Amino acid sequence: RFETNENDSCVLCVSKKHSGSLVMAPPFYAKNSTRNRFSRLPALLLQDHFACCWPAEEAQKKFSEWWHDAEENLLSYSFETVAPRVLGDHGATPKGAYLVLTAIAKEDQMLSPAQVLQLATKFKLPLNETLFIQTSNPAALALENALHQERWTMDNFDADQLLSQVDAGVMQYFLRHEDVQGSILEGFVLFKL
């Protein structure tokens, strides 16, 4: 649970967890491995993602721009690679293979969610569902308490019902959990900005 002072002007972020394997890029490398299926598949998935998001004649150019921008600015992008039956099952079996951007690091620090959103928008990267709500809103504490209480029994439909009851919250996503993982919900990531 987060301790919040009355004078704090913070935001509670609630994100749904996906079941997959961590990969960082560029260059593409997975935990303790490189140049194998754990690092090659995410590279192909991200190139396919660019091909779907950008006109055909621009897709490879935009991918190269993203790569160059990351190298020039010393950025390391972290993605969750979700691929049914390819990289081993991790909980719910997804409906298809995809990537979800989870974080971006610059040298020895993590970028803020606002900075991640800015870069993800610039390059049309796949973002997870995330709800942003001011901690000064009484609904934030009620939501946090409900998530802690129900976290072991809640499916995705129940989570959507709970999250939709929050007034003054802002939801952003590129990938909806229901569309790619179905009703099984692995859990939540809660953090305070």
Side-chain angles (χ1 to χ4, degrees), residues 127-148:
L127 289 168
N128 195 15
E129 278 182 278
T130 304
L131 175 74
F132 299 90
I133 183 170
Q134 291 287 330
T135 55
S136 59
N137 183 336
L141 181 58
L143 175 63
E144 183 184 351
N145 287 335
L147 290 173
H148 282 290

Side-chain angles (χ1 to χ4, degrees), residues 26 33 45 47 56 59 68 71 88 90 94 96 100 121 127 129 143 147 184 188:
S33 66
L45 288 174
Q47 288 175 338
H68 177 73
E71 286 183 331
H90 295 77
V100 176
T121 301
L127 289 168
E129 278 182 278
L143 175 63
L147 290 173
I184 296 175
F188 294 94

Side-chain angles (χ1 to χ4, degrees), residues 148-168:
H148 282 290
Q149 184 176 0
E150 302 294 329
R151 68 181 180 257
W152 303 115
T153 59
M154 189 177 290
D155 66 11
N156 191 64
F157 177 78
D158 295 332
D160 282 347
Q161 293 292 101
L162 181 63
L163 296 174
S164 70
Q165 295 172 11
V166 177
D167 286 335

Side-chain angles (χ1 to χ4, degrees), residues 12-18 128 130 147 187-191:
L12 175 67
C13 302
V14 180
S15 178
K16 295 178 181 179
K17 185 182 177 313
H18 288 254
N128 195 15
T130 304
L147 290 173
F188 294 94
V189 177
L190 294 121
F191 55 98

